[in-house]
Amino acid sequence: MSDEVIRLVNVSKVYVSAGGVQTWALRNINLLIRRGEMISIMGPSGHGKSTLLYVIGTLERPTSGKVFIDNVDTTLLNDEELSKLRNSKIGFVFQQYNLINRMTVEENIELPLIKLGIPRSKRKELVRDALLKVGGELSWLNKRPVQLSGGQQQRVAIARALVANPPIILCDEPTGALDSKSSEVVLNILKKLNNLGHTVVIVTHDPNVASIARRLILIRDGSIIGEKFI
Amino acid sequence: MINIVDLLLLAFSALRERRLRAALTILGIAIGPAAMVAIIGTTEGYTDTIVNQLQALGQNTVVIFPAKDYKLSNNDVNKIKKLSYVNDITPFYQSRGQFRKPDGTSMMVTIYALDLNLLNKIVVGSKLAEGGIPPQSLYTNCVVGNDVVISKGIKYYDVGEAITVYIPTMKGDKLVISSVSFRIAGILAPYGTVFPVNPDASIFLPLQAGKSLLNIKDYSGIFIIAKSAEVVDALVNELKSMYGDNVEIVSLKEIAKTVTNIINILNNLLFTVSSISFAVAFTGIMSTMFTSVVERTREIGILKALGYSSRDVLMLFLYESIVMTLIGVIIGIASGVVGAHFIAYRPLRIAGSWTVVSEPKITYLLILRALGNSLMVGVVGGLLPAWKASKMVPVEALRYE
Ligand SMILES: Nc1ncnc2c1ncn2[C@@H]1O[C@H](COP(=O)(O)OP(=O)(O)OP(=O)(O)O)[C@@H](O)[C@H]1O
Ligand SMILES: [Mg+2]
């Protein structure tokens, strides 16, 4: 197995508004992330952090350049293939948790497993495992997300991101909506997942959050302007 | 691949969240199959009954009536008798009369004077319940329909008794009501009302009575029994060329055909009308699903981030409209069946005393048609919103925070 898990080559992303105005969200990004790395991407608001994360996560196609996941050129894949790749290899954690409120915690967490076609009984087991891994309680399973605190919801969201055991976990401001105590819990979970072998990428504008990663990438105006190892 | 059971469960979960809207949409879907099954089921039931009645009357009979100033005579009877298609023939006199039953009710009857030996060929399948056919010479003797002697289960007359009927007759140039008495020689078994005659409310006399008792100068018409139903058309053509516009020719076969045609047109019309309710269901599904797609933009983005493809999202939304359609169609067909029985429960009055009571006829084909129409409406109406959902860009949905 190769050491490399994510590689971006000359990736640019240009948004063209309805009026024809071009926004260069990413300019010529070259980035290599190794298996098992924990990495923070830091930069001010509106400078392309989320865009970079979405491009890595194949939710967004680059305007130019190439994105390799596990040595596969994802820019050559069609929608169905990209979905499969996201389903099995990438877990997303968002600032606003992005849980589906009409579903129970259990139903939310099992969503990636349904797509994988895993049978019902096996799913229940995996959902429990994932929830316990993030320090959740089994009593949450039948609750709706809104019945939980923000920190608890974010833990459920992380459980959903890791339930299919993807090698890559991508987090966009995972503590952005949380108080400092909950933030600490969440960051510890991410750290733990990294220790378990997941490659974790965290996007943030908060230096305290960024500092949990050994590797720090600074982004400004869509370009990487620096890299630090702590 | 997402398991079909999971797709259904996800669809249910989404519908449950918007219960009221889903229920209203389902109601809208149910109206189409309900209307279709109730209306078409009822009319097809009636159609069957009517056509069966007409056919029971025999398809061999042709009747001619004088038209314009033409007068039918024995000459005509003899001429027609010679035609190769003709098996039997009898001229007849016809009149309407009224009589009062012993219980005080009055009844309208049709009176025919004709060769009584041909009675069971003209009123095909008629049987005598009591008595017998009087000989031609005893022209004051009659055979009566069942309703004439029986009213509400009580029999008022027996064979051998006399009944008095009031008949309009011409005295010179004046129309007068005169009373005529007949002796009942035979009573027909109940026959059932049949278009265009009602044997149960008729009195049949020997031919001679027409002139002697009813005071009718000329024949009212001629009953002709063809050799078979197949030659009826040829016979009608021959009569047409013989008489041109001088007589009106009525064949029961023709009537059955015409009635069937009219009913078919009616059925098509009703089918079209009930199809309109499917159009209503179509717009209902479409707007419900479009609203749902817009409201669930974020959910679509989440699903795509979790690895659901555009096709998966399309299927998810399509299943929601299919689930609603299936529920609606089951409710619709069930209430259509109940409705059809409810409508058919009341007798259909067609003309005069001719009423039809019939079980609704709900065929598998009808149910399949209702189901097929609804499913098409559900799939086509759900497809465009589902397609819109599948094309949603996930990132735009997720960025909105
Ligand atoms: N769909 C879009 N159309 C046009 N411009 C866009 C679109 N999405 C993002 N942008 C622009 O791209 C740039 C980068 O946006 P991005 O969301 O990646 O920034 P960010 O660093 O994540 O900011 P924040 O910290 O506020 O989340 C911004 O200028 C933004 O306005
Ligand atoms: Mg962002």
Side-chain angles (χ1 to χ4, degrees), chain B residues 229-241:
Chain B
E230 284 73 45
V231 299
V232 163
D233 291 340
L235 174 61
V236 167
N237 283 338
E238 196 137 346
L239 290 170
K240 263 186 200 153
S241 62

Side-chain angles (χ1 to χ4, degrees), chain A residues 24-209:
Chain A
W24 284 74
L26 297 176
R27 299 170 196 264
N28 259 322
I29 301 277
N30 287 289
L31 178 65
L32 188 144
I33 301 174
R34 293 197 175 75
R35 200 169 299 280
E37 258 192 311
M38 182 145 191
I39 168 172
S40 290
I41 297 170
M42 221 180 87
S45 179
H47 281 245
K49 303 184 300 293
S50 293
T51 306
L52 178 57
L53 199 77
Y54 293 150
V55 167
I56 293 171
T58 76
L59 278 176
E60 192 89 277
R61 284 182 189 272
T63 310
S64 64
K66 298 222 164 275
V67 177
F68 295 88
I69 304 286
D70 272 344
N71 293 307
V72 173
D73 183 354
T74 61
T75 56
L76 301 178
L77 302 181
N78 64 24
D79 176 76
E80 198 69 42
E81 293 162 330
L82 283 181
S83 306
K84 279 220 176 82
L85 182 136
R86 280 199 293 276
N87 191 216
S88 58
K89 298 202 164 164
I90 298 165
F92 281 98
V93 178
F94 301 96
Q95 179 175 355
Q96 289 300 336
Y97 331 128
N98 274 336
L99 298 170
I100 298 173
N101 283 321
R102 69 154 187 278
M103 298 183 178
T104 62
V105 165
E106 179 167 36
E107 288 164 343
N108 266 284
I109 298 176
E110 78 178 338
L111 280 171
L113 304 176
I114 290 176
K115 165 67 182 175
L116 275 175
I118 290 173
R120 211 169 177 63
S121 56
K122 179 80 182 156
R123 290 204 303 252
K124 303 253 169 250
E125 202 179 299
L126 291 172
V127 167
R128 272 152 203 271
D129 291 350
L131 192 56
L132 294 175
K133 233 186 225 176
V134 298
E137 290 162 27
L138 294 181
S139 65
W140 300 355
L141 282 174
N142 290 316
K143 288 188 175 161
R144 313 267 150 182
V146 287
Q147 295 173 279
L148 301 177
S149 74
Q152 290 169 335
Q153 287 190 56
Q154 190 63 304
R155 277 191 270 171
V156 171
I158 297 171
R160 185 181 64 185
L162 65 85
V163 73
N165 201 25
I168 303 163
I169 294 184
L170 304 178
C171 314
D172 192 353
E173 305 275 13
T175 60
L178 302 179
D179 58 36
S180 56
K181 208 162 163 218
S182 298
S183 296
E184 209 180 300
V185 173
V186 163
L187 291 177
N188 281 333
I189 292 167
L190 293 176
K191 192 127 202 146
K192 179 178 152 198
L193 293 180
N194 180 240
N195 289 336
L196 289 171
H198 297 274
T199 306
V200 180
V201 181
I202 302 169
V203 152
T204 181
H205 65 273
D206 181 345
N208 291 327
V209 174

Side-chain angles (χ1 to χ4, degrees), chain B residues 13-333:
Chain B
S13 138
L15 293 177
R16 225 182 312 122
E17 193 196 15
R18 293 164 175 83
R19 255 169 266 237
L20 183 63
R21 192 195 295 159
L24 290 174
T25 311
I26 287 169
L27 198 68
I29 295 165
I31 289 169
M36 193 164 174
V37 170
I39 294 172
I40 311 264
T42 308
T43 54
E44 293 215 324
Y46 284 135
T47 307
D48 266 24
T49 309
I50 292 167
V51 170
N52 283 343
Q53 284 190 357
L54 286 172
Q55 277 166 357
L57 211 49
Q59 302 287 289
N60 298 9
T61 311
V62 176
V63 192
I64 65 173
F65 298 98
K68 298 193 202 155
D69 292 332
Y70 192 80
K71 292 186 175 23
L72 289 169
S73 67
N74 279 330
N75 260 349
D76 298 299
V77 176
N78 290 330
K79 236 174 20 182
I80 296 168
K81 203 185 260 175
K82 290 201 185 81
L83 297 177
S84 58
Y85 304 119
V86 177
N87 212 4
D88 284 302
I89 186 163
T90 173
F92 66 95
Y93 299 95
Q94 187 187 351
S95 180
R96 298 277 284 165
Q98 190 178 32
F99 82 102
R100 197 169 293 278
K101 291 185 181 177
D103 70 350
T105 58
S106 84
M107 179 184 188
M108 288 297 295
V109 286
T110 311
I111 304 165
Y112 297 94
L114 74 172
D115 180 352
L116 285 177
N117 294 319
L118 294 180
L119 188 56
N120 71 339
K121 288 195 181 168
I122 289 161
V123 184
V124 174
S126 63
K127 283 192 197 78
L128 277 168
E130 282 178 58
I133 302 277
Q136 289 292 348
S137 53
L138 292 179
Y139 60 79
T140 55
N141 282 244
C142 68
V143 173
V144 294
N146 208 262
D147 287 352
V148 176
V149 296
I150 289 177
S151 168
K152 297 190 186 92
I154 302 166
K155 190 168 165 210
Y156 289 106
Y157 296 98
D158 274 313
V159 168
E161 290 185 320
I163 61 169
T164 301
V165 181
Y166 296 87
I167 318 171
T169 48
M170 299 302 289
K171 272 244 166 71
D173 286 346
K174 280 210 307 216
L175 184 77
V176 292
I177 306 288
S178 52
S179 72
V180 187
S181 293
F182 312 116
R183 180 186 168 273
I184 297 173
I187 299 170
L188 291 178
Y191 190 83
T193 317
V194 168
F195 182 81
V197 292
N198 183 2
D200 288 343
S202 297
I203 295 175
F204 302 94
L205 294 160
L207 184 62
Q208 243 253 268
K211 222 173 206 132
S212 318
L213 280 183
L214 307 176
N215 260 329
I216 309 174
K217 271 204 252 113
D218 304 297
Y219 290 140
S220 305
I222 302 174
F223 282 119
I224 307 160
I225 315 286
K227 289 226 162 86
S228 71
E230 284 73 45
V231 299
V232 163
D233 291 340
L235 174 61
V236 167
N237 283 338
E238 196 137 346
L239 290 170
K240 263 186 200 153
S241 62
M242 279 168 68
Y243 287 98
D245 289 345
N246 284 333
V247 298
E248 212 178 296
I249 306 168
V250 177
S251 83
L252 289 180
K253 195 178 162 191
E254 200 77 13
I255 292 176
K257 228 194 285 180
T258 310
V259 169
T260 313
N261 281 345
I262 292 172
I263 288 171
N264 280 343
I265 292 169
L266 187 70
N267 276 349
N268 283 333
L269 193 74
L270 291 172
F271 185 74
T272 312
V273 170
S274 57
S275 299
I276 293 171
S277 44
F278 286 96
V280 175
F282 178 79
T283 50
I285 288 193
M286 194 121 124
S287 67
T288 298
M289 290 312 294
F290 265 130
T291 313
S292 179
V293 169
V294 171
E295 287 173 352
R296 284 151 68 196
T297 305
R298 173 188 287 276
E299 179 183 327
I300 295 165
I302 295 169
L303 289 175
K304 287 200 168 176
L306 297 178
Y308 286 69
S309 65
S310 297
R311 200 178 146 274
D312 297 328
V313 172
L314 184 118
M315 292 306 279
L316 275 174
F317 279 84
L318 200 55
Y319 263 74
E320 283 177 33
S321 55
I322 290 175
V323 164
M324 285 196 290
T325 306
L326 283 177
I327 298 174
V329 104
I330 289 167
I331 293 174
I333 288 175

